[in-house]
Amino acid sequence: MPVLRSYVNDGWHRPAEEGRPLFDAVTGDEVARVSSAGIDIAAALEHGRRTGGPALRELTFHQRAALLKALGQHLREHRERLYAVSARTGATLGDSKFDVDGGIGVLLAYASKAKRELPNDTVHVEGAVEPLGRGGTFLGQHVCTPLRGVAVQVNAFNFPVWGPLEKLAPAFLAGVPSLVKPASPTAFLTAELIEIIVESQILPPGALAFVAGSLGDAFDHLTGQDLVSFTGSASTAQLLRTHPTLVRNAVRFTAEADSLNLSALGPDAAPGTAEFDLFVKGLVTEMTVKAGQKCTAIRRAFVPRAHVDAVVEAVSARLARTTVGNPAAEGVRMGALASLDQREEVRRSVKALADSGRIVFGDPERVEVVDADPDRGAFVSPILLVGDPERAEPHEVEAFGPVSTVLPYDSTAQLVDYAARGQGSLAGSVVTADPAFAREVVLGVAPWHGRLLVLNSRDAQESTGHGSPLPALVHGGPGRAGGGEEMGGIRGVLHHMQRTAVQADPDTLAAITGRWVPGAERHRTDVHPFRKHLEELRPGDTIVAGPRVVSQEDVEHFAEFTGDTFYAHMDADAAAANPLFGERVAHGYLVVSLAAGLFVDPDPGPVLANFGVDALRFLTPVRFGDELTVTLTCKQLTPRESAGYGEVRWDADVTRQDGESVARYDVLTLVAKKDAQEHAAG
C-alpha cells in the first residue's frame, strides 16, 4: 500500500516508516498510509524562511496575484482528478464540487481582489497620512510589510481541498510561504492537491511545503515572525494556543474550532410562506451536504413554538427522500462520514443530545444504504431531534455529522438568550421577511457570531446559503468557535503582515512609501504631466494652472445647463439666511469642473481616460469674483501587469487668491505605457 509523500525543501520525501493506514470511507478498504517519520521539520521551516520568503517578497502584490490566478486556472483544469479521489472520502460529486471548486474559487477571488485593492508594489500603505506637527514637516503613516516567517496551516478532515487553499491564498498574497498539514483521515486527497500544484511549477521555490502526518516538534521551532492557522476541535486549539514557544514568542495564532451554529425561523415565516420553505430547505441542505461534516452546518434550529410540529413534518419529509450510500451510485444524495471513528463520535454525541430531547427522524445505529456495506462504510442516517432549549446539551454538544436539533422559542429576547448559550459560533442565519425582527436578532446575537445571513424571498436566488464561507467575508467566530478569522478579503492578507507606524518628514515618507505625500517636494517641468507615459512619470510631478475668476454668469450658466438650481447658488435672500454662506456661492461641482479645465491637456496623448475621483471635499465656499488656481501632483503609480497601461492617482488642490484650499481630491487616470503605445502605433 502506498505511503503518502510529504513535500519539503522543494523535494518529495518518502517517510522512513510504513505509517498508519487510511481507509476509503465508503468501502472500508485501505487507501494509503501516512507518516512524517524522518522529516526535519526545523529545516523545512528554515527553508521557507530563507528561500520561500525572499522569493515571494521580490514580487509585487499584483505579481503574486497573477501567480495565484494561474494556479487557480491550473487546478480548474484538473478538477476531475480531484473529484475521483474525493469520492473515497465519502463525498458525493456535489460534495466534491463544494470542496474542490470552492477552494479554487477562493484562489481566483483573492487574485482579483488583490489587483483591485492592493498596490502593484511590495509595501502596502494603510490609511491616511497623519499630521504630527503644526508646520507639516513631521508626518506619520502606517505601512504593512510581510512577516519574515512561515505560515503553518493545520487543516481539518472535512474540507481537504478548500481548507488548505483558503489558508494558502492570503498568506501567498502577503508574501509569506506556507507549510500545509492536513488531517490524516482525508490526507490522501490533500496530497493529490499538492501533487498537482507542484507539477504546475507555478509557485516560486520554497513558497509551499506539505507534511503528511504529524508535525512532530514543529511548534518548538516557531519564531515571532511565524504564524499558525488551525482548524479543528476547541480542545486541540486550546492545547496548541498555549504551547510554551507560541506564548513566549507571541506567535500569531488563529483558530477555527467547534461551532453550534444556529438558524432561526422568524415568527412571520408561517407554514405556506416562502420563508418557511427556505428555512426547511436550508436546514436539510446543511444536514446532508458533506454528510453534515461542515464547521458551518446548522446544529441548532430555533423555531417559534407554534411552528415546531410543521417544521419537523416538513424537514422529515425531505430527509426521507435523501438516499444514503455509495456516492458513485445513481440517485445517492448523501455519502459517508470521513471515517468509522467519526461515525462512532457522531453516535456518542447523538446519544447525549437524545438524553435531553427526542429523536424525531432517523436512527443513529442503522441506516439503509445503496451499493455499499453499511458496516464497512462510515454511513449514518440523518438525525433530527427536538430538544429543550433550557437544557445545556443542545448548546454544548456538537454532533459533527448529519444531525440537527429543533429548539422552540417564545420571544425574540428568549431567542437571543438561547443563541448566546452556544458560547460563540462561526455562522448563523435568520430566515424572515420582517426587517424589524431581523435587526433585533442580528444585533442581539452578533457578539457571538462571525457571520450572519438574513434570508428571505428577496435574496434567496442569489444567496450562497447558510453554510458557505465567502472569500470577501471573515470566516471565524468568537469564544467556542476559536476567536480567529480567516479570509475576509484583504483583512486576511494583512493578518500575515506587520503593521508599522512610520514617522518622518514628508520627503522621507514619500521615499519609503513610494507615493507623494503633502509637504513633499514637487517637480514642475516644462513637459505637461499629461504628455508623459507611465514609465516617464514620477511621484511629485506637478502642474500649477490658473488663475480662473469665478463669475456670477458662470454660476447661472452652470445652474441652467445642469438643472442644479439649489437656493445657495441662485436665491440671494435665501443664501443670505444660510449660516454657512451668507451670500450666493458657486456650486462645488462647478469648482471641480473649472479645475479640470485648467489642468487638462486637450490633445491626444498617453492619458487614456479619467476613471474616477476619490475623497472629494469642498473646504470653503467660493464666491463671485474669487480666483481659482489648481495644483495637480502625481501621487501614486500602479502599473497593470497584463495591460498596456497603468493607473495614476493625482492629488488635486484647488486654492483661491488668498492661498486657502477650497477643494481637495484625488483624480484617477489610466495612462499608457510607452512601449505599448509605440507598439500599437507601429
Side-chain angles (χ1 to χ4, degrees):
M1 188 56 59
V3 182
L4 298 182
R5 297 179 300 168
S6 295
Y7 187 76
V8 293
N9 304 326
D10 290 315
W12 290 105
H13 169 87
R14 192 172 297 278
E17 64 181 25
E18 189 176 75
R20 67 186 183 90
L22 305 179
F23 300 100
D24 186 311
V26 177
T27 65
D29 296 337
E30 187 174 324
V31 176
R33 288 180 172 264
V34 63
S35 171
S36 60
I39 296 178
D40 186 340
I41 299 288
L45 291 168
E46 194 60 21
H47 181 73
R49 297 184 194 111
R50 292 185 178 275
T51 302
L56 287 172
R57 293 194 296 272
E58 284 182 3
L59 305 174
T60 67
F61 290 107
H62 286 200
Q63 290 169 332
R64 294 174 208 146
L67 293 179
L68 212 57
K69 180 179 180 180
L71 179 60
Q73 292 171 333
H74 178 78
L75 290 174
R76 182 174 280 174
E77 294 171 359
H78 293 78
R79 286 179 295 181
E80 297 297 332
R81 181 172 159 187
L82 292 170
Y83 296 161
V85 179
S86 178
R88 309 201 74 175
T89 71
T92 64
L93 180 58
D95 295 339
S96 298
K97 289 182 176 181
F98 194 94
D99 182 26
V100 174
D101 294 15
I104 294 171
V106 171
L107 296 185
L108 298 176
Y110 259 100
S112 175
K113 227 171 156 52
K115 288 187 176 181
R116 294 195 312 269
E117 299 181 33
L118 291 172
N120 195 3
D121 200 346
T122 57
V123 60
H124 175 61
V125 178
E126 186 181 64
V129 173
E130 299 287 348
L132 303 177
R134 293 184 178 181
T137 62
F138 188 44
L139 305 175
Q141 176 77 69
H142 290 93
V143 300
C144 298
T145 54
L147 291 174
R148 300 300 178 97
V150 174
V152 178
Q153 299 158 356
V154 183
N155 295 285
F157 67 83
N158 54 330
F159 282 98
V161 175
W162 189 336
L165 293 181
E166 79 171 10
K167 291 179 171 67
L168 171 68
F172 186 86
L173 277 179
V176 177
S178 296
L179 188 152
V180 175
K181 192 274 183 208
S184 290
T186 55
F188 54 88
L189 176 52
T190 308
E192 191 76 14
L193 168 71
I194 299 300
E195 189 167 321
I196 295 172
I197 293 174
V198 172
E199 288 172 354
S200 75
Q201 298 184 338
I202 291 172
L203 303 188
L208 177 66
F210 167 70
V211 175
S214 169
L215 279 178
D217 63 351
F219 280 30
D220 294 336
H221 304 288
L222 297 182
T223 73
Q225 290 291 302
D226 298 310
L227 310 93
V228 176
S229 296
F230 169 80
T231 302
S233 71
S235 58
T236 304
Q238 181 178 356
L239 182 66
L240 298 180
R241 193 193 303 270
T242 56
H243 189 284
T245 302
L246 269 64
V247 174
R248 181 174 63 252
N249 295 332
V251 176
R252 296 188 188 186
F253 181 92
T254 184
E256 178 201 318
D258 303 345
S259 186
L260 287 161
N261 309 293
L262 67 83
S263 185
L265 181 68
D268 61 296
T273 64
E275 283 69 30
F276 181 90
D277 294 339
L278 288 170
F279 178 84
V280 170
K281 181 180 179 181
L283 179 55
V284 172
T285 296
E286 292 302 310
M287 290 178 67
T288 56
V289 169
K290 297 285 289 183
Q293 298 170 112
K294 292 168 58 184
C295 53
T296 54
I298 298 168
R299 307 300 178 193
R300 299 179 295 164
F302 289 106
V303 174
R305 191 175 299 277
H307 301 330
V308 167
D309 290 343
V311 166
V312 168
E313 181 180 354
V315 171
S316 298
R318 278 183 171 266
L319 290 176
R321 298 194 296 271
T322 301
T323 304
V324 180
N326 186 340
E330 185 176 351
V332 168
R333 298 283 299 277
M334 192 179 91
L337 298 176
S339 67
L340 292 175
D341 287 344
Q342 184 60 25
R343 183 178 69 180
E344 293 311 305
E345 177 62 31
V346 168
R347 286 173 172 172
R348 284 193 293 271
S349 297
V350 169
K351 184 178 185 306
L353 290 170
D355 287 344
S356 63
R358 56 190 174 92
I359 296 175
V360 293
F361 183 91
D363 183 342
E365 298 300 326
R366 62 180 300 275
V367 58
E368 292 186 9
V369 301
V370 173
D371 193 29
D373 185 333
D375 295 320
R376 286 179 57 82
F379 297 100
V380 68
S381 166
I383 303 292
L384 184 69
L385 303 99
V386 173
D388 179 357
E390 291 295 338
R391 293 284 298 267
E393 290 87 348
H395 310 295
E396 295 180 357
V397 177
E398 180 182 20
F400 201 74
V403 182
S404 189
T405 303
V406 174
L407 300 168
Y409 73 91
D410 297 301
S411 68
T412 307
Q414 191 180 62
L415 168 61
V416 171
D417 172 57
Y418 290 153
R421 298 187 191 187
Q423 302 172 51
S425 298
L426 297 171
S429 55
V430 185
V431 187
T432 180
D434 181 351
F437 174 77
R439 172 183 167 84
E440 190 173 355
V441 175
V442 166
L443 298 185
V445 307
W448 288 274
H449 287 78
R451 177 171 59 84
L452 290 167
L453 163 69
V454 178
L455 184 65
N456 53 40
S457 58
R458 184 174 181 181
D459 65 1
Q461 289 299 314
E462 291 189 332
S463 171
T464 52
H466 167 99
S468 297
L470 297 170
L473 304 178
V474 294
H475 179 46
R480 178 192 180 114
E485 289 184 354
E486 291 183 359
M487 298 193 295
I490 302 306
R491 298 173 188 85
V493 177
L494 297 182
H495 172 73
H496 297 81
M497 307 183 78
Q498 177 59 43
R499 180 180 293 105
T500 303
V502 179
Q503 299 165 276
D505 66 273
D507 289 313
T508 302
L509 194 59
I512 292 170
T513 61
R515 60 183 67 185
W516 181 86
V517 299
E521 183 180 0
R522 289 185 167 99
H523 313 292
R524 295 179 63 176
T525 63
D526 295 335
V527 179
H528 192 294
F530 281 19
R531 309 307 305 168
K532 295 183 178 182
H533 291 84
L534 189 70
E535 302 93 328
E536 299 167 327
L537 279 168
R538 296 291 180 270
D541 285 356
T542 299
I543 178 175
V544 179
R548 166 68 153 84
V549 177
V550 180
S551 67
Q552 180 175 333
E553 290 75 16
D554 291 329
V555 172
E556 292 175 351
H557 173 71
F558 188 82
E560 181 181 1
F561 180 71
T562 64
D564 181 357
T565 56
F566 185 61
Y567 74 87
H569 313 306
M570 302 300 293
D571 187 329
D573 292 337
N578 186 313
L580 297 178
F581 304 132
E583 59 182 294
R584 290 173 66 186
V585 296
H587 305 72
Y589 296 112
L590 171 59
V591 171
V592 172
S593 299
L594 294 176
L598 291 173
F599 66 66
V600 164
D601 185 303
D603 295 329
V607 175
L608 304 176
N610 175 337
F611 72 95
V613 170
D614 277 355
L616 172 61
R617 293 293 183 272
F618 301 119
L619 304 173
T620 193
V622 173
R623 308 178 191 283
F624 302 156
D626 280 347
E627 298 179 359
L628 301 183
T629 298
V630 60
T631 302
L632 189 75
T633 304
C634 177
K635 188 173 185 179
Q636 181 184 0
L637 304 169
T638 304
R640 291 192 178 180
E641 291 293 321
S642 57
Y645 56 87
E647 301 172 12
V648 180
R649 181 178 291 268
W650 307 81
D651 178 86
D653 183 12
V654 185
T655 56
R656 64 187 182 194
Q657 61 276 7
D658 60 0
E660 186 171 359
S661 293
V662 299
R664 291 207 70 161
Y665 50 97
D666 286 355
V667 177
L668 309 177
T669 62
L670 299 178
V671 177
K673 297 175 182 176
K674 187 174 184 179
D675 291 344
Q677 199 164 55
E678 288 177 350
H679 178 74

